[in-house]
Amino acid sequence: MHEMSIAMAVVNQVEEAAGAAGASEVTAVRLQVGELAGVVPDALAFCFELACAGTVLEGAALTTESVPGRARCRSCPGDWSVGMPPALCCPGCGTATDVELLSGRELQILSVTWEEDPAREPGPAHRSPRSAEPCAEWST
């Protein structure tokens, strides 16, 4: 189950960013997951909860946003939804020799919401709660 290694990588990335910002608690993490990334969202959610235990992310809500797989043929106009399993032959000309995958393999952190440590002196970059916009991306 590679979802556990993905969940652990997300937790590590978020912990690092939250620590650098002086966060005392992470309340939410939003991920973008392509339908062709080979990730089962329910399994990822289960693993994420386990990976968060004992960290500043413990109890954080995980939201995953699915990105449909889309492709285009460089020889024909338009693009199409590839679905699962992926249909990578061009519906226009029937070939797969000049097909480009446009989306569906994404796996990235879109945002993180945290509460900052009230004991830390606030500065111009320290507001609470705070959302960090994209901070990591993985290829599958």
Side-chain angles (χ1 to χ4, degrees):
M1 175 189 297
H2 70 280
E3 284 82 0
M4 180 55 89
S5 62
I6 293 168
M8 290 172 57
V10 168
V11 168
N12 288 338
Q13 286 279 325
V14 172
E15 270 190 311
E16 186 176 311
S24 60
E25 174 187 10
V26 172
T27 57
V29 176
R30 191 169 57 111
L31 300 179
Q32 185 177 58
V33 180
E35 82 175 322
L36 305 176
V39 175
V40 178
D42 288 341
L44 180 59
F46 175 77
C47 293
F48 180 79
E49 186 176 338
L50 294 175
C52 288
T55 71
V56 295
L57 285 89
E58 190 163 0
L62 175 67
T63 304
T64 56
E65 296 179 10
S66 181
V67 178
R70 296 206 61 81
R72 74 176 170 109
C73 179
R74 292 182 183 114
S75 303
C76 302
D79 59 55
W80 70 94
S81 176
V82 299
M84 274 306 280
L88 297 177
C89 285
C90 174
C93 65
T95 66
T97 57
D98 207 14
V99 171
E100 175 185 13
L101 191 59
L102 301 173
S103 66
R105 295 185 48 140
E106 296 82 357
L107 182 53
Q108 70 178 24
I109 298 170
L110 291 178
S111 66
V112 176
T113 305
W114 58 62
E115 299 291 330
E116 291 186 359
D117 186 348
R120 185 174 175 160
E121 187 173 313
H126 300 300
R127 293 179 301 277
S128 181
R130 182 171 173 190
S131 179
E133 295 291 332
C135 54
E137 182 173 343
W138 292 273
S139 294
T140 58

